[in-house]
Amino acid sequence: MINDWLNQNPDDGFDPNDHGIEMDEIAKLHAIADMKEDQEIWAREQANKFYNDFEGLNITDSISAVAGLIKNKALDITQVNSMLDNMINVFLQDEEFEKCHVCNEIKKGLNNAGI
């Protein structure tokens, strides 16, 4: 699982020479911008996909469902917290504050449950 969905560190070792592209700072900047846009689209898709799993449930039921996945060892709390943090960052960027609130409540509920 990628821990930084929005790829906040775009200078991640991309080397145009690895792809047969002449080392050109302007080309590198354009490539990084293109990758950032693609990363944001991917992050938004992931956040909405995971949020859709919660949408039909109230917050308490969502907490129980995720807690069940943690207890069955399908996920661990670190993965869940990372996923929720990434979802919150995406929703803040898109100004979807209700979705941020739901994710925050689920995160607080899980962490308060001592999982």
Side-chain angles (χ1 to χ4, degrees):
M1 176 182 283
I2 297 174
N3 290 328
D4 181 12
W5 286 9
L6 292 172
N7 196 19
Q8 300 296 320
N9 180 14
D11 192 19
D12 55 3
F14 173 73
D15 185 357
N17 292 313
D18 292 342
H19 304 282
I21 302 170
E22 183 179 324
M23 187 58 166
D24 178 344
E25 287 301 312
I26 293 174
K28 182 177 179 181
L29 293 174
H30 283 289
I32 288 172
D34 288 345
M35 289 187 306
K36 182 176 182 186
E37 183 179 328
D38 290 344
Q39 192 72 28
E40 287 175 357
I41 291 168
W42 178 86
R44 188 171 292 107
E45 288 171 354
Q46 294 303 305
N48 284 306
K49 180 175 97 176
F50 290 125
Y51 186 83
N52 288 339
D53 292 339
F54 301 137
E55 200 166 32
L57 304 171
N58 63 37
I59 292 172
T60 304
D61 291 341
S62 296
I63 293 167
S64 296
V66 175
L69 291 171
I70 293 169
K71 287 178 185 172
N72 292 331
K73 304 211 186 287
L75 296 171
D76 66 43
I77 192 66
T78 305
Q79 290 173 318
V80 171
N81 281 329
S82 176
M83 177 188 72
L84 289 168
D85 287 340
N86 282 308
M87 290 171 68
I88 291 165
N89 286 334
V90 168
F91 295 143
L92 280 174
Q93 186 174 352
D94 290 346
E95 297 182 2
E96 296 189 60
F97 302 117
E98 179 62 32
K99 289 181 179 181
C100 289
H101 172 72
V102 170
C103 291
N104 272 320
E105 290 299 310
I106 293 169
K107 184 176 177 181
K108 281 195 293 189
L110 288 167
N111 291 321
N112 289 339
I115 297 175

